Amino acid sequence: MDRYRFEMDRLEPRQEKLDELYDMIEGGTEVKQAKWIGRKAAALILAAAVLTITAAAAAMPAVWEAMTKQLGAFAPYAQTIRGAVCRDQGIKVQVLSALADDLEARFYISVQDVEQDRLNEYLTLMGKIENGRTKAAEPGGSSMGLSLFSLRNGSFDLISYDPETKTALFSTNIDYWEEGVPTPDAHLSLTGMSTYQAKINNETNIGTISGEVLESLPMGEENQTILSPSDIINLGYTDDILPSEKVVLAPELNPQPIEGTEDMWISSMGLASDGCFHIRLGFADGISILDEEGDSWFLCTLLPFEIGDTLGKAYRETLVPGGVDILFPLIQADDLETIQDCTARFYGRYTRPGTIIEGSWNIDFQMEYYSSLVLDWTGELAGRRVDQVTLSPLSVTMSSNDTGAFCRSTLYAVKRDGTTVEAEPDTGSYDNIGGIDPIWKTFNTWKFAEPVDLEEVVSLSLMGETIPVS
């Protein structure tokens, strides 16, 4: 990559020629669907991927580098999608890559403003990506679209934004789970995008608090209590635990930044005159935690979780000029020492000054995936009956009557040379189909920390016991 950049810099090609080159190779090489991938095949795929990314990097180096970094050791196993591009409203959308087996597919999508400069690091997408059919449906049937993705459930995750090329890189995934299987035909549909909605997931230390009662202001007509998922009544509490004196902290009494954002900060924090602990946040101009319907999905929790589940469980948010006041009615003077070493985590959605771009971006593309190998072995494992085990280069699934231990246990792929690759537990399901006399129908999944060559795997190890791989 460095050598390529040196040569390109030396030759100084015109940007329109680079764009033309990029459009010619949009998507690059293809990867054939396979049950597994051997060392020679992996080497060939890696070589093709390097050539494709090197060429594409002429137009969007930062984006391709970010995607390659995100894929890590899985880059040679990812399919580079060919020709999956469309343009509308001066915005170019492209499906760059897919990494998939029959448990999960992850897609990488670029969004580039080719006419203006309307995008930034707060870009969010509205739309969905579709692929798959239910296992009950016949091949060629019309049961399409097992998983839909939209802005509201936050399924398009922004990985990076490159201001030089005005390009954002997103990832999103489809979970086929037990009920679904992938299909060759996939579809991306976007109806809009905006830079006015943002997400926060930041923490800050609250160890600077003292027992001093800080200046407080009475709640007035300009203050609005927010009914949100965090509202204490929804958590099983009643207004009886609220202090009789209704106050908020005065602003900017002991300000401190929230690491990772300039959109908001801790304006004041400590005991108010009502005897309870408050955190008042200040907002930059144009920042709001209310959406178009007037609802808030801005949340706060105290860490560690033992504190968040007890003293920090009940809180109420009140809008104040230029910010929000968060009251913790269960935390009072005697509890301050307990929370001295805690951190406050602020997370959820909020709005900021930005642009809304409506349009229609529809892309049909072909997706390949790695089919899982169904192991011949079934039987007893750690006292559980195992009905089926599948193995792909990316994951392991297991159907059994386990009652909970498997989901807490790391699984290992044991290779011919005796080395192992870890697979951490991922999502699963436990269903009691026996009623009063429990009969468990359990589905567990594990994701590998790095891809495995199935030709090299001789066994799986779980809870100290061995599953042969033939």
Side-chain angles (χ1 to χ4, degrees):
M1 184 69 74
D2 289 339
R3 180 179 177 184
Y4 174 80
R5 282 179 175 162
F6 173 79
E7 294 296 330
M8 293 304 290
D9 289 342
R10 183 175 63 85
L11 294 173
E12 295 183 349
R14 291 176 299 167
Q15 183 60 46
E16 58 265 28
K17 289 298 183 183
L18 294 180
D19 292 339
E20 180 181 341
L21 169 65
Y22 183 66
D23 286 336
M24 286 172 59
I25 54 89
E26 296 216 81
T29 60
E30 295 183 71
V31 174
K32 297 294 185 181
Q33 177 181 333
K35 288 186 177 179
W36 60 79
I37 184 168
R39 286 173 292 178
K40 292 182 179 179
L44 291 173
I45 294 169
L46 177 59
V50 169
L51 289 174
T52 299
I53 292 174
T54 300
M60 297 193 305
V63 174
W64 285 86
E65 286 177 12
M67 184 179 70
T68 305
K69 181 179 179 180
Q70 184 82 1
L71 285 165
F74 293 93
Y77 285 70
Q79 174 197 5
T80 305
I81 306 296
R82 182 187 285 277
V85 184
C86 72
R87 302 188 188 206
D88 188 28
Q89 308 300 314
I91 302 294
K92 174 181 172 182
V93 176
Q94 179 179 358
V95 182
L96 300 175
S97 182
L99 178 66
D101 60 6
D102 42 21
L103 177 65
E104 181 188 63
R106 180 158 291 276
F107 304 89
Y108 294 88
I109 301 161
S110 68
V111 179
Q112 182 181 25
D113 192 334
V114 294
E115 293 184 358
Q116 302 178 47
D117 192 5
R118 294 164 287 178
L119 311 182
N120 59 30
E121 67 274 20
Y122 297 100
L123 184 65
T124 56
L125 304 181
M126 291 164 278
K128 61 187 178 183
I129 194 163
E130 297 173 287
N131 178 263
R133 61 175 174 83
T134 60
K135 290 182 179 179
E138 293 296 327
S142 60
S143 181
M144 221 11 219
L146 287 170
S147 300
L148 304 182
F149 296 90
S150 68
L151 173 67
R152 290 197 174 276
N153 62 24
S155 56
F156 289 98
D157 298 318
L158 180 66
I159 296 174
S160 66
Y161 178 72
D162 176 32
E164 184 175 348
T165 59
K166 306 169 188 175
T167 306
L169 175 65
F170 288 86
S171 71
T172 189
N173 71 292
I174 289 178
D175 187 352
Y176 302 106
W177 198 234
E178 284 184 282
E179 297 83 6
V181 291
T183 58
D185 298 314
H187 180 74
L188 171 69
S189 174
L190 299 180
T191 58
M193 55 193 69
S194 77
T195 57
Y196 83 97
Q197 293 199 14
K199 300 176 185 176
I200 187 171
N201 188 5
N202 301 64
E203 297 179 16
T204 189
N205 189 277
I206 61 174
T208 58
I209 57 177
S210 69
E212 176 189 2
V213 175
L214 302 180
E215 180 185 356
S216 306
L217 303 174
M219 288 181 58
E221 294 182 358
E222 74 277 11
N223 302 126
Q224 174 189 348
T225 297
I226 303 170
L227 297 178
S228 72
S230 62
D231 188 85
I232 57 177
I233 296 178
N234 294 339
L235 290 169
Y237 294 96
T238 67
D239 287 346
D240 293 340
I241 69 167
L242 295 174
S244 56
E245 184 181 3
K246 299 186 183 302
V247 298
V248 296
L249 286 178
E252 301 303 304
L253 298 177
N254 47 10
Q256 67 180 73
I258 298 175
E259 186 176 355
T261 181
E262 295 182 356
D263 283 348
M264 56 187 70
W265 62 93
I266 291 180
S267 174
S268 303
M269 177 171 59
L271 289 179
S273 62
D274 59 8
C276 300
F277 177 61
H278 290 239
I279 299 176
R280 177 168 177 154
L281 300 183
F283 294 162
D285 290 343
I287 301 300
S288 174
I289 58 174
L290 298 181
D291 61 17
E292 302 92 328
E293 288 77 32
D295 297 324
S296 170
W297 296 92
F298 180 85
L299 308 173
C300 176
T301 189
L302 299 185
L303 302 173
F305 290 110
E306 305 86 75
I307 299 297
D309 285 342
T310 53
L311 296 175
K313 187 174 183 178
Y315 65 93
R316 173 164 284 179
E317 299 173 355
T318 300
L319 294 182
V320 293
V324 63
D325 181 277
I326 307 172
L327 158 68
F328 296 85
L330 300 182
I331 302 178
Q332 300 178 7
D334 294 341
D335 305 303
L336 293 184
E337 186 175 349
T338 304
I339 65 170
Q340 281 286 351
D341 296 325
C342 288
T343 58
R345 175 183 168 221
F346 307 101
Y347 60 106
R349 300 197 302 266
Y350 64 97
T351 61
R352 64 187 324 280
T355 301
I356 301 175
I357 306 172
E358 295 181 345
S360 179
W361 296 267
N362 290 281
I363 302 174
D364 293 307
F365 62 97
Q366 293 291 296
M367 188 195 80
E368 308 289 352
Y369 67 96
Y370 296 103
S371 297
S372 294
L373 175 68
V374 179
L375 302 189
D376 292 335
W377 179 89
T378 59
E380 293 292 319
L381 181 76
R384 284 89 167 162
R385 185 193 74 251
V386 177
D387 299 315
Q388 185 183 76
V389 181
T390 72
L391 171 65
S392 87
L394 314 179
S395 65
V396 175
T397 74
M398 182 180 294
S399 299
S400 71
N401 66 347
D402 176 57
T403 57
F406 286 172
C407 71
R408 298 187 297 273
S409 302
T410 301
L411 181 144
Y412 300 88
V414 182
K415 300 194 288 187
R416 296 183 189 280
D417 62 4
T419 60
T420 61
V421 179
E422 288 188 6
E424 291 299 327
D426 203 74
T427 52
S429 65
Y430 288 80
D431 296 319
N432 178 12
I433 60 175
I436 297 176
D437 299 318
I439 300 175
W440 290 98
K441 179 183 178 183
T442 302
F443 183 71
N444 291 107
T445 67
W446 291 262
K447 301 287 183 63
F448 284 114
E450 60 185 61
V452 297
D453 179 353
L454 301 198
E455 294 177 350
E456 294 296 317
V457 178
V458 295
S459 65
L460 303 176
S461 176
L462 179 65
M463 297 181 67
E465 299 201 21
T466 299
I467 301 170
V469 176
S470 58

